[in-house]
Amino acid sequence: MTECLFFALWPDKTVRHTLSRWTRTQPAAAYRLIDRQNWHITLLFLGNVSDSQKNFLLATSGQGELSPFDLCLDHVEFWGHSRAVVLTADRQAVPRPMEALFQHLVDVAGECGLEVADRPYIPHLTLWRGSGASASEWCLKSPICWHIGQFVLLRSVPQPQGGVTYEELACWPLA
């Protein structure tokens, strides 16, 4: 049996509240707002993972010297390829501990035989889905920042009415 899994960062309650307040001020009538409970930043998408690979990930992902960090989302972008409006972090200012966490997870995935996309990591949080837009429609007056003290392994759970929800399988603190 396989499951669709990925590593992610969950915004805390304060950040979710800030995001929620901000989304209500934006002109996104032609877009579908992502369910607030699904808001996250993907660290590493793993795709379909076998039970043995999942067990390896659960046993090893939290090992290593991984440090907490602060992350600020300070740009609004429309990604045409995925028809998504996302908040991103300045690509030149991704915190070193975040880069180290990403590389650690790539290494762990490789150790259990998972192939992951070989592309630069861009921290982003998807808020809306739609089409035919440009980032100029949205305004982010100040960055949305939070302290990252943990990361999670999530499972995508398809819903009967369509879409997915994300179920947390494990959570690891950043020392």
Side-chain angles (χ1 to χ4, degrees), residues 30-113:
Y31 301 88
R32 179 181 56 83
L33 184 64
I34 302 298
D35 184 3
R36 177 183 160 136
Q37 280 67 38
N38 279 351
W39 289 347
H40 69 279
I41 292 179
T42 300
L43 287 166
L44 184 65
F45 181 76
L46 301 168
N48 290 325
V49 173
S50 70
D51 285 340
S52 63
Q53 290 169 319
K54 178 177 79 172
N55 291 336
F56 181 87
L57 295 169
L58 291 168
T60 61
S61 297
Q63 297 175 357
E65 294 188 28
L66 304 168
S67 301
F69 53 92
D70 294 323
L71 180 67
C72 290
L73 301 173
D74 54 5
H75 294 80
V76 183
E77 298 179 13
F78 178 74
W79 289 3
H81 65 281
S82 60
R83 298 178 327 137
V85 176
V86 300
L87 293 180
T88 63
D90 182 339
R91 288 164 178 74
Q92 311 310 312
V94 174
R96 286 192 192 272
M98 185 175 205
E99 291 174 346
L101 174 58
F102 171 74
Q103 189 57 56
H104 167 73
L105 296 174
V106 167
D107 293 345
V108 168
E111 287 173 28
C112 71

Side-chain angles (χ1 to χ4, degrees), residues 97-162:
M98 185 175 205
E99 291 174 346
L101 174 58
F102 171 74
Q103 189 57 56
H104 167 73
L105 296 174
V106 167
D107 293 345
V108 168
E111 287 173 28
C112 71
L114 292 169
E115 292 184 31
V116 294
D118 184 23
R119 61 179 174 244
Y121 178 64
I122 303 170
H124 66 280
L125 192 147
T126 302
L127 292 170
W128 289 280
R129 295 251 182 227
S131 61
S134 72
S136 64
E137 295 180 45
W138 293 273
C139 176
L140 184 62
K141 293 180 181 171
S142 59
I144 296 175
C145 302
W146 85 87
H147 181 74
I148 309 295
Q150 62 187 19
F151 68 100
V152 295
L153 180 63
L154 300 177
R155 169 182 22 223
S156 293
V157 180
Q159 297 302 297
Q161 70 277 15

